[in-house]
Amino acid sequence: HPLTCLLVGLDGYDQIEQDAGRESAEDMVSQVAGIVLCGSRDIDVASRVGDSTLLFLLPNTGDAGARTMASRIFAEIEEREFPTAVVARAGLVTVPHDDIETPDDLIRLAESRLNVAFETEQSLIGEAEATSAQA
């Protein structure tokens, strides 16, 4: 069965914290968490792993299902009015995967793809985008 790891970073957190304070930045993360929880299934696992980073483990979900979930969540985030624009970016990895042997490998690859999403200002970097970038 597939398992997808979706590592989501919120671009705009630092600006909100700088302009409106830490409380406003934390409120933004709370609102995003609410969006995520409404869009998640009971078997999905969501966790905050940094100031502006959320981790999702989506059991029995392949690449296409994870992309659908991410698109829906990203659209809702864009519709919200925050003190500063917030853009969600994500690194997506689905196992089984040839480069994944341990849970740490899964997180590292998702983090690597999230970093590429931020560097290239793309919404989501998964296997297809990572492969085409290497070509």
Side-chain angles (χ1 to χ4, degrees):
H1 298 283
L3 169 71
T4 296
C5 176
L6 188 65
L7 192 61
V8 177
L10 303 172
D11 197 2
Y13 177 92
D14 292 338
Q15 192 64 48
I16 292 173
E17 185 176 38
Q18 181 180 342
D19 294 347
R22 178 124 178 128
E23 188 174 314
S24 292
E26 290 299 310
D27 180 59
M28 179 271 292
V29 174
S30 293
Q31 288 184 49
V32 169
I35 292 169
V36 169
L37 290 174
C38 287
S40 298
R41 305 166 299 173
D42 290 342
I43 63 170
D44 296 337
V45 176
S47 177
R48 185 173 180 182
V49 294
D51 283 346
S52 61
T53 308
L54 305 169
L55 172 73
F56 304 99
L57 294 176
L58 310 172
N60 299 320
T61 304
D63 185 91
R67 287 173 183 276
T68 299
M69 178 190 179
S71 294
R72 189 173 58 248
I73 290 169
F74 291 1
E76 288 187 46
I77 291 169
E78 286 178 22
E79 291 174 5
R80 288 284 169 106
E81 291 188 24
F82 296 111
T84 299
V86 174
V87 176
R89 303 190 190 284
L92 182 150
V93 180
T94 299
V95 292
H97 188 285
D98 292 340
D99 295 333
I100 306 295
E101 293 182 18
T102 68
D104 287 340
D105 293 341
L106 178 67
I107 302 301
R108 272 194 288 276
L109 186 54
E111 187 173 41
S112 171
R113 290 181 178 178
L114 174 59
N115 290 336
V116 171
F118 274 105
E119 290 166 6
T120 61
E121 297 184 351
Q122 295 181 61
S123 295
L124 189 139
I125 300 293
E127 189 69 26
E129 295 82 6
T131 302
S132 66
Q134 293 172 352

